[in-house]
Amino acid sequence: LTLFLAAAAAAGALGFWQLLSGIDPITGAQLEANDADGYLAVGTMSGHLTYGGVIMLAFVASFALLLNAHGRARIALLISTALTGAGLLASHARSAWIGVAVGVLGAMIAHGVTRPRGAGPAPWRRSLLLGCVVVLAAVVSRDSARLFRPRMHGTSAATGSVRSERCEARRRMPLTP
């Protein structure tokens, strides 16, 4: 599990780099632009939805373990959760975001319910409330690329959205098999 979370954290950092640069540093290929002036991060996978699904599992596992961790393990899990979260946002896989919201809610409910009596002031109701806030934040945040990437210059004549000229030229290129 430790090796999986470390690899997923590295994949999350790679995905965040892909979001910002638009280039896959492993293959050197240009990534697909999305409608929000960003790029669809694919990590080491072939598609952004596959990448989002794998990162989703890693994020939920890392978050669930983080709830009970102490000391150095807590710091390592916090870093893993942050990096996989960045990769998850970079994937633009909204289905994975919904999966994370449900997984985090389940982990928080399980943590609140299984917490031993007298262990502190964190009853299951507080965990449920925080889980609902996480779900609401996932639903409300429709577009993560605007959080991390400033608007680019050049507008698309067809849609009126702001895009870079390089992205527009790429869209006009014919698809090759």
Side-chain angles (χ1 to χ4, degrees):
L1 184 62
T2 304
L3 185 60
F4 171 70
L5 292 178
L14 173 66
F16 192 70
W17 169 259
Q18 289 174 343
L19 170 74
L20 296 177
S21 69
I23 297 172
D24 184 358
I26 297 172
T27 63
Q30 171 103 17
L31 298 173
E32 180 183 350
N34 69 355
D35 292 336
D37 304 327
Y39 297 94
L40 300 177
V42 295
T44 58
M45 312 285 174
S46 60
H48 74 284
L49 294 175
T50 306
Y51 172 69
V54 172
I55 291 293
M56 171 193 66
L57 294 173
F59 181 86
V60 171
S62 182
F63 181 82
L65 292 172
L66 179 65
L67 293 175
N68 290 323
H70 300 287
R72 290 184 182 178
R74 184 174 185 89
I75 294 170
L77 286 168
L78 186 61
I79 292 169
S80 174
T81 303
L83 289 175
T84 54
L88 186 70
L89 289 175
S91 74
H92 294 282
R94 291 187 181 131
S95 57
W97 296 352
I98 293 170
V100 161
V102 171
V104 164
L105 179 62
M108 295 185 88
I109 290 172
H111 175 69
V113 170
T114 60
R115 190 175 178 90
R117 294 211 183 267
W124 68 271
R125 290 184 197 104
R126 185 178 297 170
S127 296
L128 180 63
L129 178 64
L130 187 55
C132 290
V133 168
V134 169
V135 169
L136 181 63
V139 170
V140 171
S141 69
R142 292 189 40 155
D143 195 3
S144 65
R146 294 182 195 266
L147 296 174
F148 302 111
R149 189 170 179 89
R151 288 180 147 324
M152 292 185 236
H153 300 291
T155 57
S156 168
T159 62
S161 66
V162 177
R163 292 193 179 159
S164 70
E165 294 174 17
R166 183 177 62 192
C167 293
E168 283 299 314
R170 181 176 161 89
R171 288 185 59 216
R172 288 189 204 114
M173 291 174 29
L175 296 176
T176 57

